[in-house]
């Protein structure tokens, strides 16, 4: 099983409950003139003003953002079908969340500092300047919190936080949902009470009733409405 498949299995299991985050990443633009600079996801006026302040503020510097992007793609690299975490702009999501939820700021910034310090001690250079093999070697030492050495605990806590943020960001995008195979709510067909159950209770449907309310010939038809909301078919 490759890394992406392992992550998806974790996400669909018990780990998924630990990935819930408040807030939302920037997305589709709202058509309203007054809020055309803000994402559209059903926000109140007060929330939109809050989001405007968040989007116009800065916390992470360029080096920190670049390092986060590298770590995101280590956690969720591209495969033959779907792009990497940064292809889905997960690093931008994290930059937004860190400003929206200040509780992430100190642990994340401290973790980035730890990562660079550990990289300098190990390879005499900052993490972002390491080779791909060196980066993976570092991450392998902090990616498994139950097995990590005591002196690497801060690094493990940082990597766990990054993993949660990366998965949350990726699997709440259109690309991530497609990768996960999530199809959302889809209509099904009610065929009435099963025949075996009806017989068990000595009941049956009247043919006229079935023809009117359980018409299988119409099972694939999609209802249509006019511009005023009146049902057409």
């Amino acid at each position: 099983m490759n890394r992406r498949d392992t992550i998806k299995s974790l996400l669909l299991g018990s780990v998924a409950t630990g990935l819930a985050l408040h807030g939302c990443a920037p997305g589709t633009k709202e058509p309203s003139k007054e809020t055309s600079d803000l994402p559209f996801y059903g926000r109140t006026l007060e929330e939109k003003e809050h989001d405007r302040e968040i989007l116009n503020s800065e916390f992470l510097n360029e080096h920190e953002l670049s390092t986060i992007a590298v770590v995101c793609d280590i956690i969720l690299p591209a495969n033959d079908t779907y792009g990497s975490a940064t292809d889905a702009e997960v690093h931008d999501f994290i930059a937004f969340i860190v400003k929206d939820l200040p509780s992430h700021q100190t642990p994340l910034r401290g973790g980035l500092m730890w990562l660079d310090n550990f990289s300098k001690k190990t390879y005499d250079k900052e993490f972002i300047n390491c080779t791909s093999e060196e980066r993976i070697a570092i991450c392998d030492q902090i990616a498994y919190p139950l097995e990590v050495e005591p002196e690497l605990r801060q690094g493990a806590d940082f990597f766990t936080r990054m993993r949660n943020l990366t998965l949350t960001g990726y699997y709440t995008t259109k690309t991530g949902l497609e990768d996960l195979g999530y199809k959302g709510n889809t209509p099904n067909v009610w065929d009435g009470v099963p025949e075996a159950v009806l017989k068990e209770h000595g009941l049956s449907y009247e043919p006229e009733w079935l023809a009117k309310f359980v018409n299988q010939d119409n099972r694939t038809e999609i209802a249509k409405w006019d511009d005023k909301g009146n049902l057409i078919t």
Side-chain angles (χ1 to χ4, degrees):
M1 181 180 289
N2 62 36
R3 184 183 298 138
R4 291 180 72 103
D5 290 338
T6 300
I7 286 174
K8 282 195 287 186
S9 66
L10 289 174
L11 186 69
L12 291 171
S14 60
V15 173
T17 58
L19 304 183
L21 296 173
H22 300 292
C24 185
T28 305
K29 299 297 182 181
E30 182 176 8
S32 170
K33 182 177 180 181
E34 296 81 7
T35 56
S36 60
D37 60 328
L38 293 175
F40 174 66
Y41 36 74
R43 310 292 270 176
T44 65
L45 291 176
E46 292 78 9
E47 289 170 332
K48 290 175 182 177
E49 182 58 33
H50 167 77
D51 290 352
R52 182 179 286 108
E53 293 178 1
I54 293 296
L55 291 169
N56 289 333
S57 65
E58 292 184 3
F59 176 74
L60 298 169
N61 60 42
E62 184 176 348
H63 174 75
E64 291 169 330
L65 288 171
S66 298
T67 304
I68 283 174
V70 170
V71 175
C72 284
D73 281 352
I74 290 175
I75 293 172
L76 201 64
N79 63 12
D80 294 337
T81 306
Y82 298 99
S84 66
T86 55
D87 289 329
E89 300 182 349
V90 171
H91 52 305
D92 292 336
F93 164 82
I94 294 176
F96 180 88
I97 286 296
V98 168
K99 294 183 293 183
D100 190 40
L101 297 175
S103 60
H104 286 294
Q105 293 180 359
T106 298
L108 202 62
R109 174 161 282 168
L112 290 167
M113 293 174 62
W114 182 93
L115 191 65
D116 275 340
N117 287 334
F118 184 76
S119 179
K120 289 177 182 177
K121 291 178 182 178
T122 307
Y123 298 111
D124 197 29
K125 50 190 172 183
E126 293 179 328
F127 181 79
I128 198 172
N129 295 322
C130 290
T131 65
S132 177
E133 291 76 14
E134 291 168 343
R135 294 170 181 171
I136 295 298
I138 291 174
C139 290
D140 281 345
Q141 297 180 65
I142 58 177
Y144 308 97
L146 297 180
E147 303 173 9
V148 71
E149 298 294 332
E151 62 271 18
L152 303 181
R153 172 52 54 190
Q154 183 180 356
D157 290 343
F158 162 73
F159 195 85
T160 297
R161 184 179 297 268
M162 278 296 303
R163 178 164 47 216
N164 290 349
L165 288 167
T166 299
L167 299 190
T168 300
Y170 183 80
Y171 286 111
T172 51
T173 64
K174 183 176 183 296
T175 299
L177 291 174
E178 290 176 354
D179 187 4
L180 197 60
Y182 176 72
K183 299 184 182 300
N185 294 331
T186 56
N188 58 7
V189 176
W190 185 67
D191 295 330
V193 177
E195 186 66 27
V197 175
L198 290 172
K199 288 183 177 180
E200 182 180 347
H201 294 276
L203 301 173
S204 64
Y205 286 120
E206 296 180 4
E208 296 80 5
W209 195 92
L210 283 174
K212 183 176 181 180
F213 296 104
V214 191
N215 188 346
Q216 300 303 323
D217 294 335
N218 300 330
R219 67 189 307 168
T220 60
E221 291 186 8
I222 299 176
K224 298 179 181 179
W225 290 264
D226 61 22
D227 294 337
K228 296 182 179 181
N230 298 314
L231 182 63
I232 300 174
T233 58

